[in-house]
Amino acid sequence: MFSISKRSDVEPFHAMDVLAEATRRKAGGHPVISMAVGQPSHPAPRAALDATRKALEEGRIGYTDALGTARVKSALATHYRDRHGLDIDPARIAVTTGSSAGFNLAFLSLFDAGDAVAIARPGYPAYRNILGALGLRVVEVPVTAETHFTLTPESLAAAEKEHNVRLKGVLLASPANPTGTVTGRAALRALAEHCSANSIAFISDEIYHGLTFSGEETSALELTDEAIVINSFSKYYCMTGWRIGWMVLPERLVRPIERVAQSLYISPPELSQIAATAALTASDELDVYKASYAANRDFLIRRLPEIGLPIASPMDGAFYAYVDVTRFTNDSMAFAKRMLAEINVAATPGLDFDPLEGHRSLRMSYAGSQAEIAEAIDRMATWLK
Ligand SMILES: Cc1ncc(COP(=O)(O)O)c(C=O)c1O
């Protein structure tokens, strides 16, 4: 009998498990409202859908260059010029099968097995799981209200000391999942400078850019050409299922990434690259969706504490409320399961994001419709009484 690898023994991504159970219940006729997974309920922008239809009529969808078509890379360079005033050479851009593929490519090209990489706790669970599956050492650095729930040079130095390691990489998301924290320009600069001074690769996950409600949204590219920036069409652009994202790389990393990408993925999906190019022109439409998340955010900031669920982190950006459930339970996993079974409201247990303290919290996505979110909160208010 063959054996199963130790590297595959990663934690399940509980949000995906909750989504699967919610989908099963929905198919069984239950009136499920899902606030479990971070995906907009809006469709991809009209321009993306039109471009896709046209491409399908023309017919042939094929492989492209491993790092994406010249068209989408040039459109992304224009995006950096328009949004950030930056002149990015399209040759530094790599288009990927979602930001998830970007993490694989970055980790494989930057690190060797056993290298130590720091991430924030709480933080996006796939970081931990991908790093673990690739045989890298995950250094989880706790973030708290004192430092606005972000990493600092001091917390990184303390983690190196505590774990007796030299970091090879640091990965930071701003806005962050699940805390919603936006790392301000000065704090981001301090981190980038610390990484540069200590030969640490600085990976900036900017997937929630475009979805900042308070605080300043800074791309690491505005501060240094050495940052490895990862981004995606999944969130602001409402294109989760299209599996398309991108990276902006320091020049000397482009060829290593390309070599690994050629063999791992051949190329990102061409149809999605066509849609993504068009989506970059759709900010008028997408900003209307953003306004609907902002309204949901205001509603939750008011209502969640009223029903006994204080908000545990800033909610500056992204579309999550990370709430403290300790008034009702010390086991957020059991709480989430019961909530889904009894009132058909799906949310994600904090253990996904924080293996140590997550039993006290729950993450609720507010990317869905205003009516559904209001209905979910009504059901929870009655249930929690
Ligand atoms: C912080 C963060 N990074 C990356 C991803 C992965 O996104 P995708 O692979 O769809 O681009 C997510 C998804 O929720 C996320 O929250």
Side-chain angles (χ1 to χ4, degrees), residues 96-104 205 207 230-232 243-246:
T96 56
T97 307
S99 71
S100 301
F103 296 121
N104 265 326
D205 179 354
I207 186 170
I230 298 188
N231 208 323
S232 171
R243 310 307 306 130
I244 191 85
W246 76 93

Side-chain angles (χ1 to χ4, degrees), residues 291-371:
S292 76
Y293 311 142
N296 292 344
R297 173 178 177 269
D298 292 346
F299 173 77
L300 290 178
I301 287 175
R302 182 171 56 82
R303 285 295 284 137
L304 285 168
E306 284 174 4
I307 65 170
L309 297 171
I311 293 159
S313 62
M315 285 175 82
D316 301 328
F319 35 50
Y320 306 109
Y322 198 52
V323 298
D324 178 345
V325 291
T326 49
R327 186 165 145 198
F328 304 102
T329 181
N330 232 336
D331 181 350
S332 59
M333 181 83 81
F335 184 86
K337 280 188 182 150
R338 269 189 56 206
M339 193 163 84
L340 181 54
E342 293 176 14
I343 57 166
N344 288 303
V345 174
T348 309
L351 278 183
D352 243 356
F353 314 98
D354 184 341
L356 295 185
E357 307 279 343
H359 54 281
R360 303 157 164 275
S361 23
L362 201 67
R363 188 199 71 176
M364 301 169 74
S365 161
Y366 59 85
S369 81
Q370 291 173 17

Side-chain angles (χ1 to χ4, degrees), residues 103-277:
F103 296 121
N104 265 326
L105 292 169
F107 298 162
L108 285 165
S109 307
L110 290 164
F111 309 124
D112 286 308
D115 282 352
V117 181
I119 56 174
R121 176 175 64 77
Y124 177 57
Y127 298 155
R128 191 187 333 114
N129 296 337
I130 300 172
L131 289 165
L134 294 178
L136 294 158
R137 176 145 180 210
V138 185
V139 177
E140 291 196 277
V141 182
V143 291
T144 61
E146 260 167 56
T147 56
H148 198 65
F149 292 92
T150 193
L151 301 173
T152 62
E154 294 73 28
S155 65
L156 294 176
E160 283 190 317
K161 210 163 169 190
E162 184 189 338
H163 297 278
N164 194 23
V165 288
R166 291 276 295 163
L167 291 173
K168 281 288 181 73
V170 169
L171 169 52
L172 177 87
S174 171
N177 174 10
T179 56
T181 286
V182 167
T183 304
R185 192 178 184 85
L188 201 64
R189 186 190 297 282
L191 274 174
E193 284 174 359
H194 174 82
C195 288
S196 161
N198 292 281
S199 304
I200 297 170
F202 182 46
I203 306 170
S204 179
D205 179 354
E206 301 183 355
I207 186 170
Y208 291 104
H209 270 215
L211 298 172
T212 294
F213 305 106
S214 89
E216 34 179 14
E217 186 174 276
T218 309
S219 170
L221 295 168
E222 294 168 36
L223 308 172
T224 169
D225 282 341
E226 277 291 286
I228 294 102
V229 166
I230 298 188
N231 208 323
S232 171
F233 288 89
S234 287
K235 308 295 176 169
Y236 173 74
Y237 298 93
C238 302
M239 293 173 65
T240 48
W242 298 72
R243 310 307 306 130
I244 191 85
W246 76 93
M247 294 194 276
V248 183
L249 304 165
E251 220 175 282
R252 68 182 189 291
L253 191 61
V254 172
R255 185 61 183 152
I257 293 267
E258 185 174 37
R259 285 196 303 261
V260 178
Q262 287 167 339
S263 292
L264 277 191
Y265 304 107
I266 300 192
S267 76
E270 184 178 20
L271 197 57
S272 299
Q273 293 184 66
I274 291 167
T277 309

